[in-house]
Amino acid sequence: MLWAEHLTRDRRRSVHTVRAYRASAERLVAFLGAHWGERIERATLARATAADLRAYLAHRRGEGLGNASAARELSAVRGFLAWANADADAPRLRGPRVKAGVPRPVSPADAVALAEEVADDAAEPWIGARDWAVLLLLYGAGLRIGEAMALTGAVLPLGETLVVTGKRAKTRVVPLLPQVRRAIEAYVAQVPWPLGRDTMLFRGAKGGPLAAGVVRRSVQAARGRLGLGDRTTPHALRHSFATHLLGRGADLRALQELLGHASLSSTQVYTAVDAAHLMDVYRNAHPRA
């Protein structure tokens, strides 16, 4: 597909981003073909209007797409339409916004969409791979941002678990999901500097240790583009890790160990968050609520 070749060659996007954007373009073409009742060619894409994009997003939302994922999908298809017809203006359509209210954990789909958006906006493919790995590590393993920044090359080669040093120099062992492990390994394969046992695992653009502030600023910019609230921070991904595990029946003591909390009372806050989420579901779903 020429669009994918353009993203790879001219935009220098990561393999992950190219795959996601190509899938978005293919979904749009299939939708417009059914919507217009005709075969879609590159030239016919110039007819796409904001109303067509609204219809497409409504179709995707009906398939369960969340707000942040919908915003990212819109960004991808608008880029595709702009590329397909460089002489025409892409349809303008504001992405979905998240309503202000009680802070909530980032949903799994929105956590992935956030990581994808940050990685896609990176200046270099290896930096995109780095950002993708860092954010998946926060969400998939529940690390604090400082804990991720403190990892060294000594953790390589990766296994099924990772030894993390947390507050007050307390160490803990956390499981590594295959997706997280693959993300880190993909970054390690691309980083242009050697990773010794005593050097930081995650490196900045000029080769020094990656600063937590760089990650925070990237997340801040991405959440604005995705319509996520200002409480969507790197640390919120750790909160989401805990809340989602608890919602799936995780033992509170086990969760305490995974998070590295010195006191169980620090972990118990997530029971209140999960209960608040359940009440929201009840109020929205129950006919007498």
Side-chain angles (χ1 to χ4, degrees), residues 18-36:
V18 172
R19 184 170 59 248
Y21 274 41
R22 175 174 181 163
S24 295
E26 290 174 344
R27 283 191 293 265
L28 177 66
V29 169
F31 172 81
L32 290 178
H35 190 57
W36 292 345

Side-chain angles (χ1 to χ4, degrees), residues 192-275:
W193 287 279
L195 298 175
R197 290 184 59 84
D198 298 325
T199 58
M200 293 298 114
L201 175 64
F202 294 114
R203 312 294 279 273
K206 296 183 179 180
L210 176 62
V214 172
V215 180
R216 292 190 181 99
R217 286 191 294 273
S218 296
V219 168
Q220 182 179 11
R223 77 189 182 209
R225 294 191 296 271
L226 294 178
L228 295 170
D230 59 7
R231 292 184 182 272
T232 303
T233 63
H235 200 68
L237 295 177
R238 171 175 157 91
H239 289 318
S240 299
F241 164 84
T243 305
H244 297 158
L245 282 183
L246 192 61
R248 291 296 186 93
D251 176 76
L252 203 59
R253 286 288 184 185
L255 187 57
Q256 178 188 2
E257 290 296 322
L258 288 173
L259 293 171
H261 286 159
S263 169
L264 185 63
S265 61
S266 299
T267 314
Q268 286 174 327
V269 68
Y270 294 107
T271 61
V273 173
D274 195 55

Side-chain angles (χ1 to χ4, degrees), residues 18-284:
V18 172
R19 184 170 59 248
Y21 274 41
R22 175 174 181 163
S24 295
E26 290 174 344
R27 283 191 293 265
L28 177 66
V29 169
F31 172 81
L32 290 178
H35 190 57
W36 292 345
E38 62 182 272
R39 180 180 175 84
I40 303 301
E41 304 288 349
R42 181 169 178 173
T44 61
L45 290 172
R47 290 167 34 205
T49 65
D52 293 321
L53 288 188
R54 275 194 293 271
Y56 173 68
L57 282 186
H59 169 72
R60 294 287 287 135
R61 293 299 291 268
E63 296 177 339
L65 210 64
N67 276 3
S69 298
R72 183 170 173 79
E73 184 90 348
L74 176 61
S75 175
V77 297
R78 289 192 75 246
F80 171 61
L81 292 174
W83 166 82
N85 295 279
D87 296 331
D89 293 332
R92 295 191 177 187
L93 181 64
R94 180 173 296 179
R97 306 292 297 182
V98 175
K99 293 180 181 179
V102 177
R104 299 178 181 179
V106 181
S107 72
D110 286 353
V112 172
L114 179 69
E116 288 177 338
E117 184 68 21
V118 171
D120 183 49
D121 196 50
E124 298 286 343
W126 78 266
I127 295 177
R130 178 202 68 192
D131 293 346
W132 172 252
V134 168
L135 295 179
L136 282 198
L137 191 58
L138 303 187
Y139 177 65
L143 269 63
R144 301 177 178 93
I145 183 68
E147 293 170 345
M149 298 300 96
L151 293 175
T152 69
V155 303
L156 303 174
L158 297 171
E160 294 185 351
T161 60
L162 188 67
V163 178
V164 178
T165 302
K167 291 183 177 179
R168 293 178 289 278
K170 181 181 178 181
T171 61
R172 68 185 189 277
V173 177
V174 298
L176 273 185
L177 293 171
Q179 301 94 316
V180 178
R181 187 166 61 249
R182 287 195 296 268
I184 298 174
E185 289 171 345
Y187 155 70
V188 169
Q190 296 179 59
V191 63
W193 287 279
L195 298 175
R197 290 184 59 84
D198 298 325
T199 58
M200 293 298 114
L201 175 64
F202 294 114
R203 312 294 279 273
K206 296 183 179 180
L210 176 62
V214 172
V215 180
R216 292 190 181 99
R217 286 191 294 273
S218 296
V219 168
Q220 182 179 11
R223 77 189 182 209
R225 294 191 296 271
L226 294 178
L228 295 170
D230 59 7
R231 292 184 182 272
T232 303
T233 63
H235 200 68
L237 295 177
R238 171 175 157 91
H239 289 318
S240 299
F241 164 84
T243 305
H244 297 158
L245 282 183
L246 192 61
R248 291 296 186 93
D251 176 76
L252 203 59
R253 286 288 184 185
L255 187 57
Q256 178 188 2
E257 290 296 322
L258 288 173
L259 293 171
H261 286 159
S263 169
L264 185 63
S265 61
S266 299
T267 314
Q268 286 174 327
V269 68
Y270 294 107
T271 61
V273 173
D274 195 55
H277 173 68
L278 289 176
M279 285 303 296
D280 284 343
V281 172
Y282 170 79
R283 292 191 186 101
N284 291 332

Side-chain angles (χ1 to χ4, degrees), residues 8-25:
T8 302
R9 183 186 62 249
D10 302 327
R11 301 295 301 279
R12 303 181 66 184
R13 297 307 192 189
S14 69
V15 173
H16 178 86
T17 297
V18 172
R19 184 170 59 248
Y21 274 41
R22 175 174 181 163
S24 295

